[in-house]
Amino acid sequence: MDVDLELGMNISCKELRVRLLHEFRLGHKTTEATRNICSTMSKDALFIRTAQHWFNWFKNDNFELDDLPRVGKPLEVDMDVLKQLAEEDPRLTTRCLAERLGCSHTTVETHLRELGKTWKYGVWIPHELSPLQLQHRVDAFMKLLTSHRNYQWLHNHITGDEKWVLHVNHTRKRQWLGAGQ
């Protein structure tokens, strides 16, 4: 991570820590070290709490200036394995995929979006009928109405008891699909 300075200079966090170590070895206090670094670079180059944190490290004889690996679930995922899992079973949730890959579900979601996958319903059901479909329904109704004028076919199809009405509730599940699928 680079710190942008008003002077147009870029300084890395490691370089900033080297300057803090130099101030520590000179025997300066944290406030004095922060003031010295901010006066030579920029007003917001370093905060006092950051200097206190690093001075505590230096007091404990820890002079490692690089960022150490952090605990927690990794942010990196093998993209090939993730893509293969998502294509094998696109209905797997991010939590299931994260469990298999050993990372967080937000990391999986971020990488799936990088792969161009979106969380959609797999079956497309039209909500509006086209004019042609509407005309076909009207034609079928008119045909039924005119062909069975004398026969009371409508009474045979409609019942008064609701328990005999068949209700089919199709459940749709979401899945990870690529663009245009």
Side-chain angles (χ1 to χ4, degrees):
M1 174 182 201
D2 290 338
V3 179
D4 291 328
L5 305 176
E6 293 174 3
L7 301 173
M9 299 169 41
N10 283 335
I11 185 168
S12 68
C13 289
K14 187 173 181 178
E15 290 173 312
L16 191 60
R17 293 171 193 158
V18 168
R19 290 176 191 240
L20 278 170
L21 181 59
H22 176 69
E23 293 285 334
F24 175 78
R25 288 191 174 148
L26 288 175
H28 296 157
K29 302 283 185 191
T30 54
T31 53
E32 186 181 357
T34 306
R35 192 177 328 113
N36 291 341
I37 291 172
C38 288
S39 67
T40 58
M41 295 163 61
S42 77
K43 183 176 92 172
D44 297 328
L46 179 66
F47 295 106
I48 187 81
R49 291 294 300 152
T50 307
Q52 289 171 350
H53 170 76
W54 284 100
F55 269 49
N56 284 335
W57 275 69
F58 300 149
K59 285 178 189 173
N60 294 326
D61 293 328
N62 187 350
F63 299 105
E64 180 65 42
L65 300 176
D66 291 324
D67 286 327
L68 298 174
R70 298 180 184 190
V71 296
K73 295 190 176 186
L75 296 175
E76 295 300 320
V77 175
D78 186 4
M79 297 291 273
D80 295 329
V81 174
L82 178 62
K83 187 175 182 180
Q84 181 183 2
L85 285 173
E87 288 175 357
E88 283 177 8
D89 189 1
R91 293 183 183 197
L92 288 176
T93 63
T94 55
R95 294 188 190 274
C96 291
L97 290 168
E99 193 175 295
R100 291 183 184 187
L101 296 171
C103 63
S104 69
H105 71 94
T106 54
T107 303
V108 169
E109 186 173 351
T110 302
H111 290 298
L112 281 170
R113 297 213 187 275
E114 286 176 10
L115 289 171
K117 302 282 186 185
T118 53
W119 190 236
K120 297 179 185 177
Y121 285 111
V123 180
W124 182 76
I125 297 175
H127 295 284
E128 294 183 20
L129 297 174
S130 69
L132 183 64
Q133 292 169 331
L134 286 172
Q135 187 60 44
H136 284 299
R137 289 185 180 206
V138 169
D139 291 342
F141 176 75
M142 293 304 288
K143 186 176 181 182
L144 283 172
L145 200 60
T146 57
S147 65
H148 300 290
R149 283 192 186 263
N150 297 334
Y151 179 67
Q152 294 186 349
W153 59 273
L154 192 58
H155 295 291
N156 293 337
H157 292 290
I158 296 177
T159 64
D161 191 1
E162 289 184 18
K163 67 182 178 183
W164 291 100
V165 175
L166 178 63
H167 176 69
V168 178
N169 188 10
H170 295 285
T171 56
R172 300 183 314 156
K173 295 187 178 180
R174 290 179 169 235
Q175 57 186 336
W176 289 102
L177 297 172
Q181 287 184 318

PDB file of all heavy atoms in Angstrom, residues 11 77 120 123 144:
ATOM      1  N   ILE A  11       5.380   6.767  -1.147  1.00  0.00           N
ATOM      2  CA  ILE A  11       6.199   6.059  -0.178  1.00  0.00           C
ATOM      3  C   ILE A  11       5.434   4.821   0.257  1.00  0.00           C
ATOM      4  O   ILE A  11       4.237   4.886   0.524  1.00  0.00           O
ATOM      5  CB  ILE A  11       6.570   6.969   1.013  1.00  0.00           C
ATOM      6  CG1 ILE A  11       7.520   6.250   1.944  1.00  0.00           C
ATOM      7  CG2 ILE A  11       5.356   7.460   1.734  1.00  0.00           C
ATOM      8  CD1 ILE A  11       8.154   7.138   2.971  1.00  0.00           C
ATOM      9  N   VAL A  77      -8.474 -17.611  -3.785  1.00  0.00           N
ATOM     10  CA  VAL A  77      -9.118 -18.873  -4.116  1.00  0.00           C
ATOM     11  C   VAL A  77      -8.574 -19.328  -5.466  1.00  0.00           C
ATOM     12  O   VAL A  77      -8.306 -18.501  -6.337  1.00  0.00           O
ATOM     13  CB  VAL A  77     -10.662 -18.689  -4.205  1.00  0.00           C
ATOM     14  CG1 VAL A  77     -11.338 -19.944  -4.671  1.00  0.00           C
ATOM     15  CG2 VAL A  77     -11.213 -18.260  -2.873  1.00  0.00           C
ATOM     16  N   LYS A 120     -28.951 -16.281 -10.527  1.00  0.00           N
ATOM     17  CA  LYS A 120     -30.236 -16.141 -11.213  1.00  0.00           C
ATOM     18  C   LYS A 120     -31.079 -17.389 -11.012  1.00  0.00           C
ATOM     19  O   LYS A 120     -30.574 -18.445 -10.659  1.00  0.00           O
ATOM     20  CB  LYS A 120     -30.030 -16.000 -12.727  1.00  0.00           C
ATOM     21  CG  LYS A 120     -29.273 -14.802 -13.171  1.00  0.00           C
ATOM     22  CD  LYS A 120     -29.158 -14.842 -14.685  1.00  0.00           C
ATOM     23  CE  LYS A 120     -28.318 -13.735 -15.227  1.00  0.00           C
ATOM     24  NZ  LYS A 120     -28.174 -13.839 -16.678  1.00  0.00           N
ATOM     25  N   VAL A 123     -34.760 -21.348 -14.404  1.00  0.00           N
ATOM     26  CA  VAL A 123     -35.842 -21.552 -15.350  1.00  0.00           C
ATOM     27  C   VAL A 123     -36.499 -20.202 -15.607  1.00  0.00           C
ATOM     28  O   VAL A 123     -36.883 -19.502 -14.681  1.00  0.00           O
ATOM     29  CB  VAL A 123     -36.886 -22.545 -14.785  1.00  0.00           C
ATOM     30  CG1 VAL A 123     -38.006 -22.759 -15.761  1.00  0.00           C
ATOM     31  CG2 VAL A 123     -36.215 -23.856 -14.448  1.00  0.00           C
ATOM     32  N   LEU A 144     -64.169 -23.493 -28.002  1.00  0.00           N
ATOM     33  CA  LEU A 144     -64.879 -24.273 -26.990  1.00  0.00           C
ATOM     34  C   LEU A 144     -66.299 -23.759 -26.785  1.00  0.00           C
ATOM     35  O   LEU A 144     -67.245 -24.536 -26.632  1.00  0.00           O
ATOM     36  CB  LEU A 144     -64.122 -24.225 -25.657  1.00  0.00           C
ATOM     37  CG  LEU A 144     -62.893 -25.106 -25.534  1.00  0.00           C
ATOM     38  CD1 LEU A 144     -62.150 -24.796 -24.245  1.00  0.00           C
ATOM     39  CD2 LEU A 144     -63.289 -26.576 -25.556  1.00  0.00           C
TER      40      LEU A 144
END
